[in-house]
């Protein structure tokens, strides 16, 4: 037989095998799920939680969700540590969080930052808790204050003051002297929060007591090089104490004493006047809570630094969190409490030994999974990074655990210096949905396919999906992301759902694709202002219920929007759609990047806008003269009472697309604006004077560079970012000989926001950068293995350092007045 014939046979065989595999994959993605199940059991009266504001609006908690003013809500909490960020920029940061769809800001009160010296409390400057919470109120955003006494937060001693170690007491237990100091702390916190509680018309709706009690601890900072960590745990709990968030199967013989301690802390808090509708406690990993008097919140970290190596996490597989919380077993009966995933690792900090690289596609994928698994509250640790202030006796970050000395860069949605990251834009799509449709989702139960219990994180082929449903209508959640691996693109997906009102096929004919890394949530049997939407292959983003109502949907890559309406409505194409009138339904197919059509039911017309996810990621919700609009722009949009601020990194030309169309042309505080309209949008084009900063450096040595800083911030510039591209071990930044910034290399360029250094009171003229080389046997190289471009060629050397470039990037700012 000729060689060519052999090759032909081999090729034909491979093609046949590929065809069989493709057919198999297609069959796998035609799935069935039965939503005709008993309605989720919801009951109340067993939890001692809740309260009202002066207007009589109640916050209530049942076993399944939280309600505000008798309407179910799904809170979206974002962690931001006020004491790790300059007070001058708190208001801007709060506005950034609100623009990203955060509805609750959670923040730690680190005891050792406020009482570093025994008996001398500090509440001024960047430690001004009262001013921070007042700004939350001013910006109409709620707050949960995490009052300790133990916090963790990767800060020295987990927030406990050093002087406690030298006092004749036992920490984190009902030691009378320890409780004396805790009571004094709580009284001081209560003074700062007086008049700012929900019951007073303030934003503080909740308090967290302790943190990971009888589960985890931080090492004491007063230690010696090479000494094993001495953990800040009660003496009796040392044997079961973990180094980080994890599963804890051990039986603690002192569990009852731990429960008593948590109750004692709540009693002290209430005695001090710290009274709120909600009390929370971290409930994962068999941690103690205040039974029936606190909400046990849960966590999920896909990129932990406290584990010995990278591994596949279970947090992208659907489950019923109301029955089986993450990091189970737990000490409470989960069906008695709402599933509140309040500490979701939207990023992670680095340690010297471990330097995970966080993939921002994981952020919305994890929230999709949590919501699809029954979470009725989500929260992020950290949502906003910061820098830990230096104490009077030394650095206050958790050096004993290998953290940076200054930086608390968490690779999260908002960076250490307020930078907006990819994850910020990805998450807000779900946050906007929860603001407008959370009341519908919250009461819905979880329905899992039969395959869910068999799926493991390393299964890259099978479709991952779940429902939230009341038996008749609901939402289907699909996720095709998994950390530390690549999932196959899912082709030709078709989901058949059995409901109490009949069968729903999504789509009715054909299928849709979901590429690796993406996720989507689709409605079925949805009431769209009286029109019965049988299904849509597009995800809901937001709605406006005014005189001219509209809904906005978006489609991820691989999905073409379809809307299948039951009889009883009329559909009008406006742009980019095909409307097919069938015998028993109306099918709307989107054919363009931007589509708009109108649906009329019960003599009420609702406009539907359908966009690609690429455009949705640029979306912001704003109110202009009392009417809700969507703005689409690469800039960051911060809403103010009379307009918006636009912040743009490096781009002095900004385009803002407005929906619905408007004749309004805003006034600028400087620059030039033009306005134009098309069939769907109004478009504003804004040009600001370009600003350039000359880079002047002096190479002091192969490891040290002196950088001359701009003298001031010119008009129209909000901040200046210094980007440092280097490959090495660590970077340090000094001003006047004092360490002010540091960086652990993990392949991502080091960025430093300069405004806090070049404005009063610092007014620094020079920043000195010092680098150390990477070692060939560095432990953190295992975290960089998926990214070979981040690992240098050491050649015959055992170390490597390369500083490839420094640059200044202005962040432009303009104010638009309406």
């Amino acid at each position: 037989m000729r060689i060519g014939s052999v090759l032909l046979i081999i090729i034909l065989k491979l093609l046949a095998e590929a065809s069989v595999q493709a057919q198999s994959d297609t069959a796998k993605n035609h799935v069935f799920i039965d939503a005709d199940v008993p309605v989720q059991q919801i009951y109340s009266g067993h939890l001692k939680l809740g309260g009202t504001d002066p207007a009589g609006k109640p916050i209530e908690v049942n076993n399944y969700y939280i309600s505000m003013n008798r309407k179910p809500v799904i809170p979206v909490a974002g962690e931001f540590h006020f004491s790790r960020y300059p007070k001058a920029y708190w208001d801007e940061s709060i506005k950034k969080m609100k623009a990203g769809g955060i509805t609750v800001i959670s923040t730690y009160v680190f005891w050792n930052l406020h009482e570093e010296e025994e008996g001398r409390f500090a509440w001024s400057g960047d430690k001004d808790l009262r001013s921070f919470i007042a700004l939350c109120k001013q910006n109409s955003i709620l707050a949960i204050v995490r009052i300790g006494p133990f916090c963790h937060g990767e800060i020295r001693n987990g927030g406990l003051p050093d002087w406690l170690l030298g006092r004749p007491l036992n920490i984190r237990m009902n030691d009378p002297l320890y409780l004396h100091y805790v009571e004094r702390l709580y009284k001081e916190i209560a003074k700062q929060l007086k008049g700012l509680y929900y019951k007073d018309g303030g934003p503080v709706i909740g308090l967290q007591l302790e943190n990971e009690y009888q589960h985890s601890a931080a090492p004491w900072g007063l230690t010696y090089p090479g000494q094993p960590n001495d953990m800040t745990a009660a003496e009796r709990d040392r044997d079961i104490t973990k180094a980080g968030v994890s599963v804890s199967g051990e039986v603690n013989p002192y569990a009852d004493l731990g429960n008593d301690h948590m109750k004692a802390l709540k009693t002290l808090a209430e005695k001090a006047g710290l009274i709120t509708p909600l009390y929370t406690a971290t409930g994962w990993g068999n941690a103690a809570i205040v039974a029936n008097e606190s909400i046990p919140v849960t966590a999920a970290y896909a990129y932990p630094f406290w584990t010995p190596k990278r591994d596949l996490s279970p947090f992208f597989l659907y489950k019923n969190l109301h029955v089986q919380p993450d990091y189970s077993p737990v000490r409470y009966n989960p069906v008695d409490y709402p599933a509140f995933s309040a500490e979701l690792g939207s990023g992670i900090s680095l340690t010297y030994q471990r330097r995970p690289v966080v993939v921002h596609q994981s952020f919305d994928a994890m929230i999709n999974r949590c919501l699809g698994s029954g979470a009725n509250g989500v929260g992020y640790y950290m949502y906003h990074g910061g820098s830990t202030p230096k104490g009077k006796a030394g650095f206050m970050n958790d050096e004993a655990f290998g953290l940076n000395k200054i930086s608390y860069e968490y690779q999260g949605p908002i960076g250490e210096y307020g930078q907006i990251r990819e994850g910020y834009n990805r998450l807000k799509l779900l946050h906007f949905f929860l603001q407008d449709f959370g009341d519908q989702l919250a009461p819905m139960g979880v329905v899992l396919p039969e395959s869910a219990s068999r799926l493991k994180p390393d299964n890259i082929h099978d479709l991952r999906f779940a429902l939230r449903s009341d038996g008749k209508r609901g939402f289907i959640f699909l996720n095709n992301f998994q950390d530390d691996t690549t999932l196959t693109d899912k082709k030709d997906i078709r989901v058949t759902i059995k409901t109490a009102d009949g069968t729903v096929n999504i789509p009715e004919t054909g299928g849709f694709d979901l590429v690796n890394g993406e996720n989507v949530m689709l409605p079925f049997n949805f009431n769209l202002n009286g029109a019965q939407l049988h299904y849509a292959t597009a995800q809901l983003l937001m709605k406006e219920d005014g005189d001219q109502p509209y809904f906005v949907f978006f489609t991820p890559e691989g999905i073409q929007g379809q809307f299948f309406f039951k009889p009883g409505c009329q559909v009008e194409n406006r742009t980019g759609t095909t409307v097919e009138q069938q015998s028993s339904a109306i099918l709307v197919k989107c054919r363009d990047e931007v589509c708009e059509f109108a649906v009329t039911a019960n003599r009420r017309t609702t406009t539907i806008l359908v966009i690609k996810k690429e455009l949705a990621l640029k979306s912001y919700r704003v109110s202009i003269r009392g009417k809700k609009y969507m703005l689409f722009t690469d800039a960051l949009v911060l809403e103010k009472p009379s307009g918006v601020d636009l912040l743009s990194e490096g781009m002095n030309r900004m385009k803002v697309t407005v929906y619905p169309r408007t004749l309004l042309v805003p006034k600028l505080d400087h620059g030039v604006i033009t306005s134009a309209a098309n069939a769907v949008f109004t478009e504003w084009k804004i040009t600001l004077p370009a600003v350039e900063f000359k880079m002047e450096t002096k190479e002091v040595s192969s490891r040290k560079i002196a950088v001359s800083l701009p003298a001031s911030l010119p008009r129209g510039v909000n901040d200046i970012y210094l980007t440092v591209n280097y490959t090495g071990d660590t970077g340090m930044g000094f001003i006047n000989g004092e360490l002010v910034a540091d960086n652990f290399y993990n392949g991502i360029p080091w960025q430093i926001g300069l405004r806090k250094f070049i404005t009063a009171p610092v007014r620094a003229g020079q920043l000195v950068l010092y680098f150390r080389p990477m070692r060939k046997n560095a432990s953190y190289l295992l975290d960089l293995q998926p990214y070979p471009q981040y690992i240098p060629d050491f050649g015959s050397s055992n170390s490597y350092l390369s500083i490839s470039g420094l640059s200044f990037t202005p962040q432009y700012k303009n104010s638009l007045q309406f």
Side-chain angles (χ1 to χ4, degrees):
M1 187 178 291
R2 295 179 181 179
I3 293 176
S5 299
V6 173
L7 289 174
L8 179 60
I9 291 171
I10 292 173
I11 291 171
L12 290 173
K13 182 178 180 181
L14 290 173
L15 288 172
E17 290 175 351
S19 176
V20 170
Q21 181 62 47
Q23 293 176 26
S24 175
D25 289 344
T26 296
K28 279 185 181 179
N29 296 332
H30 289 186
V31 294
F32 171 84
I33 188 166
D34 187 354
D36 188 9
V37 296
V39 175
Q40 173 64 45
Q41 185 181 10
I42 297 175
Y43 51 89
S44 59
H46 60 296
L47 301 177
K48 297 179 181 178
L49 293 165
T52 58
D53 71 358
K57 296 179 181 178
I59 292 178
E60 299 167 301
V61 186
N62 58 39
N63 73 307
Y64 203 63
Y65 58 80
I66 299 168
S67 62
M68 298 190 69
N69 200 21
R70 297 183 174 84
K71 181 180 179 180
V73 296
I74 298 181
V76 179
E79 188 89 6
F80 175 37
H81 298 159
F82 64 96
S83 55
R84 280 173 155 152
Y85 207 72
K87 181 179 181 179
Y89 312 124
W90 285 348
D91 182 66
E92 178 186 277
S93 287
I94 292 169
K95 285 181 167 64
K96 287 178 181 178
M97 296 179 73
K98 187 174 181 180
I102 296 296
T103 59
V104 182
I105 291 179
S106 51
T107 192
Y108 270 133
V109 179
F110 293 116
W111 187 358
N112 57 357
L113 293 187
H114 297 283
E115 196 187 2
E116 188 177 359
E117 297 178 84
E118 184 179 348
R120 301 182 67 177
F121 284 88
W123 299 104
S124 61
D126 297 346
K127 301 174 184 178
D128 189 349
L129 171 62
R130 183 169 186 84
S131 291
F132 179 76
I133 298 300
L135 282 171
C136 291
K137 179 179 180 180
Q138 181 179 312
N139 283 280
S140 300
I141 197 165
L142 302 171
I144 293 176
V145 183
R146 307 174 79 177
I147 61 174
F150 175 81
C151 298
H152 210 304
E154 289 75 56
I155 207 161
R156 184 179 176 90
N157 310 330
L160 299 179
D162 276 26
W163 51 262
L164 274 180
L165 187 59
R167 289 288 174 257
L169 54 80
N170 292 297
I171 61 167
R172 301 182 76 184
M173 57 190 299
N174 287 347
D175 180 296
L177 183 57
Y178 176 68
L179 292 182
H180 161 75
Y181 288 126
V182 172
E183 183 174 21
R184 187 173 69 183
L185 169 68
Y186 282 3
K187 286 180 178 178
E188 287 289 325
I189 296 173
K191 291 177 186 176
Q192 301 303 312
L193 298 180
K194 186 176 180 180
L196 293 171
Y197 303 106
Y198 185 75
K199 65 184 179 65
D200 305 315
V204 182
I205 61 166
L207 300 170
Q208 181 182 298
L209 303 164
E210 247 279 352
N211 189 65
E212 299 178 305
Y213 185 60
Q214 292 192 316
H215 173 74
S216 181
W220 281 105
L222 194 59
T223 187
Y224 300 96
Q227 187 176 45
N229 286 333
D230 180 20
M231 306 301 281
T232 51
E235 198 75 34
R236 67 187 180 216
D237 296 327
R238 286 183 179 275
D239 290 344
I240 56 92
T241 298
K242 306 293 182 183
V245 179
S246 57
V247 173
S248 179
E250 297 93 337
V251 176
N252 188 340
Y254 305 105
D256 288 342
L257 293 177
N259 297 340
D260 291 343
H261 180 61
M262 290 293 288
K263 178 64 176 175
L265 292 179
K266 184 168 185 284
T267 299
L268 290 178
E270 292 175 326
K271 182 181 177 182
L274 293 160
I275 299 173
T276 56
L278 307 178
Y279 294 86
T280 68
T282 48
W284 57 79
N286 263 330
I289 69 167
V290 187
N292 298 323
E293 297 182 34
S294 64
I295 297 175
V297 298
T298 59
Y301 286 92
Y303 300 94
F305 63 74
W306 50 86
T307 56
K309 62 181 179 64
R310 292 184 300 111
D311 52 17
L312 303 178
S313 80
F315 307 122
F316 300 98
L317 297 173
Y318 297 101
K319 62 191 292 190
N320 191 337
L321 291 170
H322 191 58
V323 175
Q324 185 188 17
D326 288 326
Y327 299 110
S328 288
V330 294
R331 194 178 297 186
Y332 56 92
N333 184 11
V335 298
D336 283 339
Y337 303 88
F340 197 149
S341 301
E343 195 164 308
L344 300 174
S346 51
I348 202 67
S349 60
L350 307 181
T351 66
Y352 184 77
Q353 299 84 3
R354 288 291 317 278
R355 306 183 185 183
V357 179
V358 174
V359 179
H360 280 227
Q361 281 181 311
S362 70
F363 293 4
D364 55 321
M366 184 180 287
I367 304 311
N368 174 295
R369 173 267 185 181
C370 286
L371 293 174
S373 298
N376 272 334
V378 294
Y380 307 100
Y381 192 99
M382 296 283 296
Y383 190 82
H384 192 312
S387 307
T388 303
K390 189 176 179 181
K392 294 181 179 180
F395 297 104
M396 298 300 285
N397 252 3
D398 191 355
E399 291 183 276
F401 209 82
L403 272 290
N404 295 72
K405 296 181 182 296
I406 298 288
S407 174
Y408 199 56
E409 170 57 68
Y410 221 77
Q411 305 179 71
I414 302 179
E416 178 179 4
Y417 299 99
Q419 312 98 305
I420 298 301
R421 304 268 171 67
E422 176 192 352
Y424 176 92
N425 294 317
R426 298 184 74 91
L427 286 174
K428 68 185 177 186
L429 305 186
L430 288 159
H431 300 166
F432 294 165
F433 166 83
L434 292 176
Q435 288 181 18
D436 285 348
F437 306 102
D439 60 322
Q440 297 183 45
L441 181 65
M444 291 181 175
V446 176
V447 184
L448 299 172
E450 184 271 335
S451 61
S453 61
R454 300 193 308 271
L455 280 177
K456 303 298 180 186
D458 61 357
N459 184 327
I460 67 172
H461 298 288
D462 289 349
L463 187 66
R464 305 175 181 200
F465 67 105
L467 297 184
R468 292 284 296 272
S469 175
D470 64 4
K472 297 181 179 179
R473 60 192 61 83
F475 301 88
I476 181 165
F477 296 78
L478 302 102
N479 169 50
N480 203 34
F481 176 89
Q482 174 66 54
D483 63 284
D484 294 303
T485 192
T486 300
L487 303 186
T488 60
D489 292 346
K490 302 302 182 289
K491 301 287 188 178
D492 196 29
I493 300 170
R494 188 174 186 231
V495 183
T496 298
I497 306 170
K498 178 187 174 186
T499 77
D501 286 345
T503 298
V504 180
N505 291 308
I506 306 178
E508 190 67 23
T509 59
F512 60 87
D513 300 341
L514 193 63
V515 300
N516 168 62
E518 273 299 350
N519 66 89
V520 72
M521 171 181 54
L522 306 176
F524 64 92
N525 287 341
F526 180 79
N527 186 335
L528 199 156
N529 284 349
Q532 296 305 305
L533 179 59
H534 196 50
Y535 71 82
T537 58
Q539 181 165 323
L540 276 162
L541 179 61
M542 58 85 69
K543 67 174 180 176
E544 163 62 17
D545 287 328
D547 295 336
Q548 296 176 313
Y550 64 87
F551 284 65
V552 181
F553 292 76
F554 69 89
T555 55
E557 180 184 349
I559 300 180
Q560 201 70 20
Q562 286 189 18
F563 295 79
F564 198 83
F565 290 96
K566 292 183 177 180
C569 65
Q570 294 80 45
V571 177
E572 172 198 356
N573 171 48
R574 291 184 177 171
T575 183
T577 69
T578 300
V579 180
E580 298 179 5
Q581 185 74 49
Q582 301 181 357
S583 59
S584 60
I586 301 172
L587 178 61
V588 181
K589 293 183 178 179
C590 297
R591 63 174 189 269
D592 293 342
E593 296 287 306
V594 174
C595 303
E596 188 182 55
F597 62 95
V599 180
T600 301
N602 301 325
R603 293 185 294 182
R604 187 183 189 195
T605 299
T606 302
T607 301
I608 309 298
L609 175 69
V610 189
I611 57 178
K612 295 296 183 181
K613 188 171 185 177
E614 182 181 2
L615 181 59
L617 291 169
K618 302 177 183 181
S619 65
Y620 293 89
R621 299 156 54 110
V622 300
S623 179
I624 301 176
R625 297 186 180 180
K627 183 177 178 181
K628 189 187 294 185
Y629 286 86
M630 297 291 289
L631 303 186
F632 303 95
T633 176
D634 288 320
L636 172 66
V637 179
L638 303 182
E639 190 169 8
K640 303 188 300 184
S642 59
V644 300
D645 285 341
L646 298 182
L647 303 182
S648 175
E649 190 170 325
M651 302 295 293
N652 68 309
R653 297 176 183 271
M654 311 175 202
K655 183 175 76 171
V656 181
T657 302
V658 187
Y659 185 84
R661 288 181 301 174
T662 177
L663 297 176
L664 289 172
V665 180
K667 296 180 180 178
L668 307 183
D669 61 356
H670 67 296
V672 178
I673 185 171
T674 61
S675 179
N678 58 30
V680 180
F681 302 119
T682 296
E683 187 176 277
W684 300 325
K685 291 184 177 179
I686 299 166
T687 303
L688 306 181
V691 178
E692 292 186 7
F693 299 97
K694 185 179 180 181
M695 174 64 68
E696 295 183 357
T697 63
K698 176 184 177 182
E699 185 176 334
V700 181
S701 71
S702 62
R703 297 187 180 188
K704 187 177 290 187
I705 297 175
V707 183
S708 296
L709 300 181
S712 62
L713 293 176
R715 185 186 183 195
V717 174
N718 187 58
D719 202 347
I720 304 168
Y721 294 115
L722 171 63
T723 301
V724 183
N725 288 286
Y726 80 101
T727 303
D729 186 39
T730 59
M732 294 180 170
F734 297 86
I735 289 178
N736 298 326
E738 180 182 353
L739 182 68
V740 297
D742 59 343
N743 175 260
F744 289 162
Y745 173 83
N746 74 334
I748 300 172
W750 181 18
Q751 198 171 53
I752 304 172
L754 297 178
R755 63 179 174 180
K756 72 176 184 179
F757 302 125
I758 64 178
T759 57
V762 181
R763 296 192 184 281
Q766 187 183 72
L767 178 69
V768 175
L769 300 174
Y770 180 68
F771 304 90
R772 290 186 173 126
M774 179 190 298
R775 299 294 171 180
K776 197 171 186 177
N777 61 350
S779 61
Y780 54 80
L781 289 177
L782 67 90
D783 292 305
L784 307 186
Q785 286 174 357
Y787 310 94
Q789 68 273 26
Y790 296 165
I791 301 176
D793 181 2
F794 289 90
S796 60
S797 176
N798 289 320
S799 64
Y800 186 94
L801 176 63
S802 171
I803 305 164
S804 55
L806 290 79
S807 62
F808 290 131
T809 303
Q811 183 188 63
Y812 292 95
K813 180 178 179 179
N814 205 341
S815 295
L816 281 61
Q817 305 295 321
F818 300 109

